[in-house]
Amino acid sequence: MELTEVRQQIQQTDQELLQLLAKRRKLALAVAEAKISQNKPIRDQQREEELLLRLIESGKTMELDAHYVTRLFHVIIEDSVLQQQAKLQGELRGMQGPSVKVAYLGGQGSYSYWATQKYFTRRAEQIIDIGCDSFNEIIKAVETGHADYAVLPIENTSSGSINEVYDLLQHTRLSIVGELTHPIDHCVLGLPGAALNQIRQICAHPQVIAQCSQFLLGLTNIKVEYCDSSSDAFQRVQQKQDPTIVAIGGEAGGKIYGLEVLARDLANQKDNVSRFIVVARKAISVAKAIPAKTTFIMFTGQQPGALVDALTVLKRHGISMAKLESRPIPGNPWEEMFYVDVLANAGDYAMTRALEELNRITKFIKVLGCYPSEDIQPTEVPA
Ligand SMILES: C=C(O[C@@H]1C=C(C(=O)O)C=C[C@H]1O)C(=O)O
């Protein structure tokens, strides 16, 4: 067969795959409706396990190996669960009418830009993206009504918590209404013709520098220029037109600015993933059929055992903690505000009781938001 002919057949097959994926998505939404009327949880891992085992067996008869089949269906099932969750929350393609205005760090091509697209594509027909130069400006954009939502990075597997964002959350009346994780693949990006052994200057956001610290330690005589965002770094490299100046950022983002990859996989951790939060002026309540997270901040005072007592309240109510972070309280040297993420719905009986008790024993407590958990752990099946 001729190359062009085979390629045509591949194209036709891919088109059929897309149609089948779209059909499967629609069916998953029909399942969500049935679950809503029967008051059933969205996720059913037993069903997922049965389905995966059946597909693996059937794949073997077609010379498709188990690993390949499992990987593909993890992605498909994750999408299906997230579509169903968005539907149940009443957010699917109509979060606030047809379009949403979203504030985020940088411009087109920054990591926050991709996270914004990923989160809101499911939820709105049109995203009006409002790029900002700082986290402070992002918060202000939503507070003043200039934007409906903000997307903010809160932690990263290589560099840990993003303190600036934690500190801003202490002083805003905005609520956390969503979360998402997004893989962050750092690359060195330069003008066409640039070479890795000739670079003299690197432009990058300070968070990116922190996440690639080990790679940067191996370089000598290179100036590092801090930028407001990865897209700001790309823009600077594009404007300077000097092949010895490069940026660090994501490949897809760099492409928008005509930059090419000179090196990849720069992050200290192999799995470099950022968690983003979505904030809005109005808090939401999360449907019971969806796994929820609640984030609150508390000041316990410094008496012996104060934090243990607070955490014991969670333990007594059977509430699991996903994260505990402490940050200084401005104006009160050496006193700390604790940030707590728990795997619970703020509207549940146990959580309401726990919050009431915490209210009594702490000096200050505030719920920053309750939101659907988008951390869909894949169902593993025996090999
Ligand atoms: C579609 C369903 O909902 C979820 C998604 C599944 C899927 O995409 O196959 C399977 C089980 C559930 O976790 C279902 O329950 O059938």
Side-chain angles (χ1 to χ4, degrees):
M1 231 189 284
E2 284 290 320
L3 176 64
T4 42
E5 201 183 315
V6 194
R7 284 191 171 158
Q8 244 163 20
Q9 288 195 24
I10 288 187
Q11 208 166 314
Q12 173 67 26
T13 311
D14 290 347
Q15 196 59 32
E16 285 167 20
L17 282 173
L18 280 183
Q19 276 159 359
L20 288 173
L21 288 170
K23 181 177 170 193
R24 194 186 195 283
R25 243 194 185 187
K26 279 212 184 92
L27 290 169
L29 290 177
V31 168
E33 269 169 24
K35 285 176 183 163
I36 296 167
S37 62
Q38 291 170 29
N39 249 335
K40 282 197 169 148
I42 287 292
R43 191 116 198 244
D44 179 346
Q45 285 190 279
Q46 195 185 332
R47 157 87 182 152
E48 288 178 24
E49 192 175 322
E50 288 161 8
L51 176 155
L52 285 168
L53 286 171
R54 203 169 341 104
L55 288 165
I56 289 169
E57 278 314 306
S58 145
K60 275 184 195 155
T61 66
M62 303 175 211
E63 292 179 32
L64 298 170
D65 66 89
H67 182 66
Y68 177 63
V69 171
T70 311
R71 257 179 62 203
L72 278 178
F73 276 88
H74 277 163
V75 174
I76 293 171
I77 292 171
E78 182 191 49
D79 172 78
S80 148
V81 172
L82 290 177
Q83 283 284 110
Q84 292 183 59
Q85 288 194 178
K87 164 129 189 132
L88 187 48
Q89 273 298 112
E91 291 175 341
L92 196 67
R93 309 231 93 198
M95 203 170 190
Q96 287 228 335
S99 66
V100 284
K101 289 181 274 175
V102 190
Y104 66 96
L105 190 70
Q108 276 199 5
S110 70
Y111 289 114
S112 297
Y113 169 80
W114 298 119
T116 300
Q117 297 296 319
K118 181 172 170 179
Y119 187 84
F120 285 98
T121 299
R122 211 184 286 291
R123 294 172 168 85
E125 275 166 34
Q126 196 199 356
I127 305 162
I128 301 168
D129 55 282
I130 303 174
C132 298
D133 289 337
S134 67
F135 295 134
N136 200 21
E137 194 185 320
I138 296 172
I139 295 275
K140 287 276 164 323
V142 183
E143 282 175 342
T144 57
H146 187 52
D148 304 313
Y149 297 95
V151 170
L152 296 157
I154 186 92
E155 58 179 315
N156 171 272
T157 48
S158 294
S159 59
S161 293
I162 299 170
N163 293 335
E164 216 184 315
V165 174
Y166 271 98
D167 292 347
L168 284 166
L169 289 175
Q170 226 181 92
H171 301 288
T172 181
R173 300 238 298 271
L174 301 181
S175 293
I176 306 175
V177 297
E179 69 163 356
L180 77 151
T181 52
H182 189 62
I184 305 288
D185 299 322
H186 293 309
C187 304
V188 174
L189 293 148
L191 293 165
L196 200 55
N197 58 4
Q198 276 163 16
I199 58 180
R200 289 274 153 267
Q201 187 179 324
I202 288 180
C203 303
H205 185 268
Q207 271 300 322
V208 174
I209 306 271
Q211 289 163 28
C212 304
S213 56
Q214 280 158 20
F215 167 79
L216 292 168
L217 276 177
L219 304 176
T220 44
N221 290 327
I222 286 182
K223 193 178 141 204
V224 173
E225 187 169 291
Y226 287 101
C227 303
D228 290 338
S229 63
S230 302
S231 50
D232 177 31
F234 301 149
Q235 235 160 9
R236 288 188 203 202
V237 174
Q238 189 191 40
Q239 277 160 11
K240 285 183 182 149
Q241 282 301 312
D242 174 348
T244 68
I245 303 176
V246 297
I248 300 184
E251 179 172 4
K255 234 186 209 155
I256 300 178
Y257 299 82
L259 307 184
E260 291 177 359
V261 175
L262 305 183
R264 18 177 126 248
D265 293 330
L266 310 185
N268 296 351
Q269 294 274 330
K270 199 179 164 301
D271 286 320
N272 192 44
V273 178
S274 284
R275 181 173 160 251
F276 291 81
I277 52 168
V278 181
V279 302
R281 284 183 296 284
K282 202 162 166 283
I284 58 158
S285 49
V286 178
K288 293 278 154 58
I290 301 178
K293 267 191 193 169
T294 299
T295 298
F296 62 90
I297 54 175
M298 64 180 179
F299 172 51
T300 57
Q302 289 175 310
Q303 60 284 18
L307 178 61
V308 174
D309 289 346
L311 298 185
T312 305
V313 172
L314 297 178
K315 182 180 173 188
R316 228 178 325 103
H317 288 282
I319 295 166
S320 303
M321 193 168 60
K323 183 154 198 235
L324 176 66
E325 181 65 63
S326 73
R327 291 293 305 149
I329 302 174
N332 298 34
W334 311 116
E335 293 196 341
E336 298 284 323
M337 184 70 81
F338 292 110
Y339 288 73
V340 190
D341 287 350
V342 291
L343 303 176
N345 191 317
D348 282 352
Y349 180 71
M351 191 61 199
T352 318
R353 292 285 309 278
L355 285 170
E356 278 164 12
E357 281 175 43
L358 286 170
N359 219 345
R360 279 200 296 277
I361 65 167
T362 57
K363 295 194 160 43
F364 170 80
I365 182 161
K366 181 177 130 191
V367 174
L368 295 183
C370 173
Y371 44 95
S373 169
E374 298 241 332
D375 189 11
I376 313 295
Q377 289 299 325
T379 299
E380 298 301 341
V381 286

